Amino acid sequence: MVRTVAETGSTNADMAELARGGASEGLWLRAERQTAGKGRQGRAWQSPVGNLYVSTLIRTRAGEPSPATLALVAAVALEETVSTFLFPGEGRGPASASPMLKWPNDVLIDGAKLSGILLERVGDAVILGFGVNLAHHPEDLDRKATSLAAHGVTPDPQLFAETLAESFARWVSRWRDGIAPVRERWLARAHPIGTALTARLADGSSMDGLFGGLDSEGALILRLADGTSHVIHAADVFLL
């Protein structure tokens, strides 16, 4: 079920409040416009009408994979949904126009950022917020951005949200049986092993290396110039 409102401050903040009130899984909240949208590390998220702003929640259970790996679940579900609208009935399209994943959950097209996914913890619930540039994309970021409209497709946000909800539910079901199928799908849709990356760590330092895949828990493996590998659990990652 995707509930839609004309305007709110932040769908993640609203979903967090619903989670505190006992809301169960399966609820999605979409806003046509946000006035206080946010990305990772408190960054503002521009929210013009026509793009997607939607949040949902997962109630964690004992014996499941780490809640942090829901970032990978969200990424593969969103990439699958984007591909459905970009190439209806055709599967994957040309490499330059096909969506690609960058750790942990960015969807890129031709190296430009299409979306953002924000995870927040509220008690036993994980709130997942999706912002997707359907009709518009910002021009004033420190990295390239794009929209589906820039690639000839402008999906209806409600239809896109409903398709995403269905895909996400399928991948969550697989994830609950173990992270392996999610990890495999993520790697199949990511940039190739050996891609040059830079990771900006929480302490402000940066680390350059080559993409070495994901460890068994979904953390990023960065191969350094000295031949060692570094496992990264949290960072902003950029393609070099």
Side-chain angles (χ1 to χ4, degrees), residues 88-170:
E90 300 177 15
R92 298 282 285 177
S96 62
S98 292
M100 179 183 74
L101 297 177
K102 177 174 69 65
W103 191 86
N105 53 27
D106 279 345
V107 177
L108 310 179
I109 299 180
D110 197 20
K113 184 178 174 72
L114 178 72
S115 61
I117 299 173
L118 178 64
L119 276 67
E120 298 180 290
R121 191 69 184 260
V122 177
D124 70 342
V126 177
I127 311 301
L128 300 101
F130 298 79
V132 186
N133 298 330
L134 302 181
H136 318 280
H137 64 275
E139 303 283 357
D140 57 350
L141 300 180
D142 61 353
R143 65 188 80 180
K144 292 194 300 181
T146 192
S147 61
L148 287 185
H151 295 274
V153 180
T154 309
D156 173 75
Q158 184 72 17
L159 178 58
F160 191 97
E162 291 169 356
T163 306
L164 174 61
E166 293 172 1
S167 177
F168 184 72
R170 288 195 304 272

Side-chain angles (χ1 to χ4, degrees), residues 29-138:
L29 177 65
R30 182 180 78 85
E32 294 178 358
R33 181 174 178 270
Q34 294 184 128
T35 58
K38 60 182 178 179
R40 292 185 66 242
Q41 299 181 356
R43 299 186 184 99
W45 186 269
Q46 298 182 31
S47 304
V49 173
N51 287 348
L52 181 74
Y53 320 107
V54 68
S55 298
T56 189
L57 67 90
I58 292 295
R59 294 285 181 185
T60 57
R61 308 170 186 171
E64 291 178 341
S66 165
T69 60
L70 283 166
L72 305 182
V73 178
V76 299
L78 180 55
E79 185 279 331
E80 183 176 80
T81 303
V82 169
S83 292
T84 296
F85 283 90
L86 272 179
F87 311 110
E90 300 177 15
R92 298 282 285 177
S96 62
S98 292
M100 179 183 74
L101 297 177
K102 177 174 69 65
W103 191 86
N105 53 27
D106 279 345
V107 177
L108 310 179
I109 299 180
D110 197 20
K113 184 178 174 72
L114 178 72
S115 61
I117 299 173
L118 178 64
L119 276 67
E120 298 180 290
R121 191 69 184 260
V122 177
D124 70 342
V126 177
I127 311 301
L128 300 101
F130 298 79
V132 186
N133 298 330
L134 302 181
H136 318 280
H137 64 275

